[in-house]
Amino acid sequence: MGNHSNYFHLHMVSDSTGETLMTIVRAATAQYENIQPIEHVYPLIRHDKQLSRVLEEIESAPGIVLYTLVEQAYARRLERKCQDLGLPCVNVLKPVYQVFHSYLNVTETWRVGGQHVMDEEYFQRMEAMNYTMLHDDGQIAGALEEADVILVGISRTSKTPTSIYLANRGIKAANIPLIPNMRPPRQLLKARQPLVVGLMATAERIRDIRQNRILSLDAKSDNDTYVDRKSIAKEIAMSKRLCAEHGWPLIDVTRRSIEETAAEIMDLLRKHKNELKETEEY
């Protein structure tokens, strides 16, 4: 990459969805403040003609090449082309394969898209996703006892995206908004099996998100308290009191990503399930 440019071409070649590559790339590029990759993603590369088009694209826009190709003939062809062009080309899973092979003394089965097989875990994720979408924002409160996790919090505390992330991990997640001057649903207060977790953020953070939300919708708020800092602070205090009264853990999401919040919730859920199991044994 030239010294005068902060942009570079980044080619991601996969015989599956390409999600693994994109996750790795985002994690890596996040460590460099002053560069911006121009991403070229080539998923589901499983035929010679597809790979030929990819090689043409790489030649026309040289840059870093990362790949996950199970078919070794395709991998060798891609690597030879990059070598001829003088470009870096990396099989991002190769170091992981080598560690597994040396430590476990097992060989690879080389299944394309093996992580996406429609097994029991897959259907569990689909069931969790369906449940979560049906129980978003307080919908169908009567089925809350079926949830693994119930997230509660005032408006704009990332309840929905966190619920969807958890569902993608096979966790049935409902979320309930806490609304000023309104009692939470009776079913929430009576729930015993699910883990209930409160989400909160600073008043400044919530105010900024709510203001941006109104602007993005090109709408005017008829209720000034929705974006009033003092009113928001009262909402936060109300949610804190509710969580304290019921012994619900409370997570401050102000400076947390969705992934970080979900990781803490999953850890809490493991402990919660262990406690339920111990109670049942007694």
Side-chain angles (χ1 to χ4, degrees), residues 12-22 41-47 50 67-71 74 93 97 111-117:
M12 291 172 272
V13 188
S14 174
D15 49 23
S16 188
T17 62
E19 292 178 30
T20 300
L21 285 170
M22 287 187 282
V41 184
Y42 314 99
L44 303 174
I45 302 301
R46 300 179 183 178
H47 302 288
Q50 293 174 315
Y67 74 89
T68 54
L69 294 172
V70 167
E71 177 56 59
Y74 291 170
L93 291 178
Y97 291 150
R111 289 186 301 154
V112 174
Q115 73 273 36
H116 300 295
V117 293

Side-chain angles (χ1 to χ4, degrees), residues 5-268:
S5 174
N6 291 328
Y7 294 88
F8 70 99
H9 292 283
L10 180 57
H11 300 271
M12 291 172 272
V13 188
S14 174
D15 49 23
S16 188
T17 62
E19 292 178 30
T20 300
L21 285 170
M22 287 187 282
T23 299
I24 292 171
V25 163
R26 302 285 159 75
T29 54
Q31 307 307 314
Y32 302 91
E33 294 183 358
N34 299 318
I35 65 167
Q36 181 65 45
I38 301 172
E39 297 180 356
H40 306 264
V41 184
Y42 314 99
L44 303 174
I45 302 301
R46 300 179 183 178
H47 302 288
D48 286 326
K49 288 185 178 179
Q50 293 174 315
L51 183 57
S52 295
R53 286 195 292 270
V54 170
L55 299 181
E56 291 173 2
E57 290 285 337
I58 293 172
E59 186 170 5
S60 65
I64 296 173
V65 179
L66 305 179
Y67 74 89
T68 54
L69 294 172
V70 167
E71 177 56 59
Q72 296 302 291
Y74 291 170
R76 287 193 295 269
R77 186 180 169 195
L78 176 62
E79 289 183 348
R80 282 198 301 269
K81 181 66 173 182
C82 290
Q83 188 175 11
D84 292 343
L85 296 172
L87 300 176
C89 181
V90 180
N91 176 355
V92 299
L93 291 178
K94 186 175 181 179
V96 181
Y97 291 150
Q98 290 174 337
V99 169
F100 273 56
H101 178 75
S102 62
Y103 187 78
L104 301 174
N105 194 28
V106 294
T107 56
E108 302 88 344
T109 56
W110 301 119
R111 289 186 301 154
V112 174
Q115 73 273 36
H116 300 295
V117 293
M118 292 170 57
D119 55 10
E120 183 179 350
E121 184 181 344
Y122 171 84
F123 288 108
Q124 182 181 344
R125 291 200 308 272
M126 293 303 100
E127 183 181 356
M129 182 62 73
N130 288 334
Y131 178 91
T132 297
M133 298 306 292
L134 286 172
H135 296 81
D136 180 41
D137 204 29
Q139 300 180 79
I140 318 182
L144 290 180
E145 195 65 32
E146 299 173 17
D148 297 309
V149 173
I150 303 173
L151 303 182
V152 299
I154 66 175
S155 171
R156 302 299 140 194
T157 48
S158 302
K159 296 185 299 298
T160 293
T162 304
S163 296
I164 293 173
Y165 186 94
L166 291 170
N168 272 311
R169 298 300 183 274
I171 296 169
K172 292 182 180 179
N175 72 79
I176 304 290
L178 299 180
I179 302 170
N181 303 317
M182 285 187 62
R183 288 182 58 81
R186 181 165 45 88
Q187 294 86 349
L188 168 65
L189 303 180
K190 292 175 63 178
R192 293 295 175 262
Q193 292 297 317
L195 168 70
V196 182
V197 179
L199 302 183
M200 61 159 287
T202 63
E204 292 78 11
R205 174 64 174 164
I206 292 174
R207 179 190 59 196
D208 292 344
I209 295 174
R210 289 181 178 183
Q211 287 176 336
N212 290 334
R213 173 69 172 169
I214 292 171
L215 289 173
S216 68
L217 295 174
D218 195 23
K220 294 182 179 179
S221 176
D222 294 328
N223 188 354
D224 291 337
T225 59
Y226 183 69
V227 293
D228 177 68
R229 189 196 174 286
K230 289 184 178 179
S231 298
I232 294 171
K234 290 181 181 179
E235 291 182 52
I236 295 170
M238 174 266 295
S239 67
K240 286 182 177 180
R241 283 195 303 272
L242 182 68
C243 289
E245 287 172 9
H246 296 276
W248 299 335
L250 185 63
I251 300 175
D252 188 337
V253 302
T254 304
R255 291 182 173 83
R256 289 175 183 260
S257 66
I258 299 298
E259 294 84 355
E260 290 171 325
T261 301
E264 181 165 350
I265 292 170
M266 288 187 283
D267 186 51
L268 290 169

